[in-house]
Amino acid sequence: MGKALDGIRILDFTHVQSGPTCTQLLAWFGADVIKVERAGAGDITREQLRDIPDVDSLYFTMLNHNKRSITLDTKHPRGKSVLESLVRHCDVLVENFAPGALDRMGFTWERIQELNPRMIVASVKGFGPGPYEDCKVYENVAQCAGGAASTTGFDDGPPLVTGAQIGDSGTGLHLALGIVAALYQRQTTGRGQRVLAAMQDGVLNLCRVKLRDQQRLDRTRVMHEYPQYPDGAFGAAVPRAGNASGGGQPGSILKCKGWETDPNAYIYFITQAPVWPAICEVIGKPGWVTEPDYATPKARLPRLAEIFTAIEDWTKTKDKFEAMAILNEFDIPCGPILSMKELAEEPSLRATGTIVEVDHPKRGKYLSVGNPIKLSDSPTEVTRSPLLGEHTDEVLGELGLAGEEIAQLRAIGVI
Ligand code: COA
């Protein structure tokens, strides 16, 4: 069976996390991804957070599956000429260098268009055009500048960054969608275009509901949905919501049996309005179904803290999986707090390919997250990340370079 992006060639100039996430997805959909790395060094993550000496780190291997790697000094005149051939040969150039790096290398948008008018040039940058466009940005900077940190954490604590890599991997996802859209448009225009995904914009897009609340609370001035401020007056900006859902269905993280020793013995519990009678039955408060102070969502809002305490008195008597099983019988939305260890061992995630075991010639077997997007006609087989420069000769051969030319480039350190 063919793959969705069969025949598409990606010149992958990405490094660290945001760009590699994007090109890994394209590779999983079948594109031929040629990762260009600096001769001798490669993507800096090959050596970051290493757990085995002299072996590509998990950071690198888990973000660069299904790609080919070539080494090339793109600042050397001979390297630049190879890069020109690659630009002519490929459909999409993806990069996440610091602002201006590609131009400084001599590969401006105008130059790339001269070489290949069909080429799509896709970039991750920290910020879009504006006061910060020249700044270098990493994950947590984007979380802070995109609105996530100011709305994450508890009301009595500082802003918090989250474990989900919404700035890097989130922006990589946004960029991948932009690339696929540009490839689609190219079918009618015959031309490439530039695709930009700024990390601040990507994070803000994922924080859309917080901009909703900024305007909503600014109008209503009352923060009913936040149990920690039942009737609190709205200040200037959306507060940190703690574990409140902040949405239409109040929710919270509650302790389960074993919480004293297990940091993840918790469950997320949602008091969805249609199942309120079932919740009252399960927690042993049948009177709350009809008592006016508890019977309607509006009446419950100022009492959320008391209600979640009563529910927690029940969840503390069950472990998180027992609680989940009972609550599911009543269609009460809830979810156990799963640790990375539990996720790694979860058989259903192995069965769907969301967690995969990959074999690597130097590190042996390791676990990775597979393709989270499943296409029925384009299944993903995850293959290991390339060693540095593993495919240099192969790719340069495809570009038409003869064996002696390749040997010469190697002798002068260009590849
Ligand atoms: N051959 C020769 N030179 C190469 C090369 C190659 N194959 N590949 C990269 N380089 C050069 C670049 O041209 C650049 O040179 P210049 O500064 O002289 O123009 C240099 O290597 C360093 O690139 P840069 O992107 O500045 O790396 P950095 O380590 O200093 O910064 C980031 C890293 C992530 C902060 C920066 O790339 C960035 O802000 N990227 C955009 C936002 C982003 O994606 N951030 C998230 C990363 S997960």
Side-chain angles (χ1 to χ4, degrees):
M1 195 182 291
K3 293 283 162 62
L5 295 182
D6 266 350
I8 298 296
R9 293 194 195 108
I10 311 285
L11 199 177
D12 181 9
F13 242 147
T14 68
H15 63 158
V16 202
Q17 184 182 161
S18 63
T21 322
C22 166
T23 50
Q24 177 167 261
L25 273 173
L26 300 174
W28 280 340
F29 290 135
D32 176 13
V33 175
I34 303 167
K35 183 166 174 115
V36 180
E37 299 180 77
R38 219 185 310 218
D43 187 327
I44 192 165
T45 61
R46 284 188 187 266
E47 61 174 45
Q48 278 180 341
L49 306 174
R50 266 191 180 142
D51 55 330
I52 306 175
D54 301 325
V55 172
D56 288 337
S57 71
L58 286 164
Y59 195 9
F60 178 85
T61 54
M62 291 177 72
L63 284 160
N64 290 285
H65 292 110
N66 296 63
K67 303 181 184 178
R68 298 197 282 172
S69 162
I70 71 167
T71 50
L72 190 65
D73 179 353
T74 56
K75 288 188 172 163
H76 190 284
R78 300 279 301 273
K80 277 186 208 287
S81 114
V82 174
L83 187 57
E84 285 180 2
S85 304
L86 275 167
V87 169
R88 290 196 190 91
H89 180 71
C90 292
D91 299 276
V92 187
L93 184 160
V94 191
E95 62 93 21
N96 68 314
F97 292 130
L102 204 56
D103 291 357
R104 287 193 290 278
M105 223 181 257
F107 287 82
T108 60
W109 166 240
E110 291 71 25
R111 176 72 187 128
I112 291 170
Q113 275 185 304
E114 271 169 28
L115 293 167
N116 179 358
R118 286 174 59 78
M119 171 145 275
I120 291 157
V121 176
S123 305
V124 169
K125 293 288 166 261
F127 294 92
Y132 305 120
E133 65 189 18
D134 291 330
C135 299
K136 286 185 175 179
V137 168
Y138 283 105
E139 170 70 45
N140 289 345
V141 175
Q143 289 197 23
C144 294
S150 74
T151 52
T152 304
F154 289 96
D155 50 303
D156 56 356
L160 269 192
V161 293
T162 88
Q165 304 288 284
I166 56 179
D168 280 339
S169 290
T171 308
L173 265 166
H174 283 90
L175 190 73
L177 180 57
I179 290 169
V180 173
L183 281 167
Y184 187 72
Q185 191 171 16
R186 193 179 73 169
Q187 289 184 344
T188 46
T189 63
R191 286 189 293 115
Q193 61 183 298
R194 276 175 291 180
V195 180
L196 170 66
M199 294 168 76
Q200 181 184 42
D201 301 11
V203 171
L204 180 56
N205 182 37
L206 299 175
C207 291
R208 179 173 296 262
V209 299
K210 299 298 179 182
L211 185 57
R212 171 201 69 192
D213 285 349
Q214 179 65 36
Q215 299 168 87
R216 182 177 67 88
L217 296 173
D218 203 24
R219 179 161 294 131
T220 63
R221 313 298 308 172
V222 193
M223 297 191 293
H224 281 315
E225 294 81 6
Y226 297 80
Q228 64 273 49
Y229 324 82
D231 265 318
F234 179 62
V238 175
R240 294 190 255 294
N243 287 319
S245 74
Q249 306 291 350
S252 195
I253 287 188
L254 305 177
K255 291 170 182 156
C256 290
K257 199 193 242 164
W259 65 273
E260 299 90 339
T261 51
D262 175 357
N264 293 306
Y266 289 83
I267 193 164
Y268 200 91
F269 192 110
I270 298 180
T271 56
Q272 192 208 14
V275 291
W276 179 244
I279 294 171
C280 298
E281 187 185 325
V282 169
I283 66 168
K285 296 272 188 194
W288 280 4
V289 180
T290 49
E291 249 177 75
D293 277 355
Y294 302 92
T296 64
K298 188 156 185 246
R300 291 195 287 277
L301 280 180
R303 297 177 180 79
L304 287 178
E306 178 202 346
I307 288 168
F308 282 122
T309 303
I311 300 174
E312 192 172 62
D313 286 342
W314 178 81
T315 56
K316 279 200 283 194
T317 67
K318 310 276 176 267
D319 75 37
K320 62 189 176 188
F321 297 110
E322 284 166 356
M324 172 99 175
I326 296 169
L327 296 171
N328 273 342
E329 275 177 36
F330 293 91
D331 274 344
I332 299 168
C334 62
I337 308 305
L338 295 179
S339 67
M340 276 301 143
K341 182 171 177 356
E342 287 164 330
L343 287 162
E345 291 165 358
E346 172 56 46
S348 64
L349 294 176
R350 298 287 185 105
T352 58
T354 295
I355 300 268
V356 288
E357 190 174 76
V358 185
D359 206 359
H360 184 276
K362 295 207 171 161
R363 77 166 30 257
K365 290 189 180 6
Y366 66 95
L367 287 185
S368 192
V369 183
N371 191 347
I373 304 167
K374 322 289 188 207
L375 268 63
S376 62
D377 280 356
S378 184
T380 298
E381 296 104 42
V382 178
T383 60
R384 70 169 174 85
S385 60
L387 303 176
L388 179 61
E390 185 176 346
H391 304 95
T392 305
D393 291 50
E394 180 180 295
V395 172
L396 296 195
E398 288 166 17
L399 293 177
L401 272 76
E404 311 85 77
E405 270 178 286
I406 297 173
Q408 219 182 50
L409 290 173
R410 184 160 285 124
I412 57 171
V414 169
I415 58 173

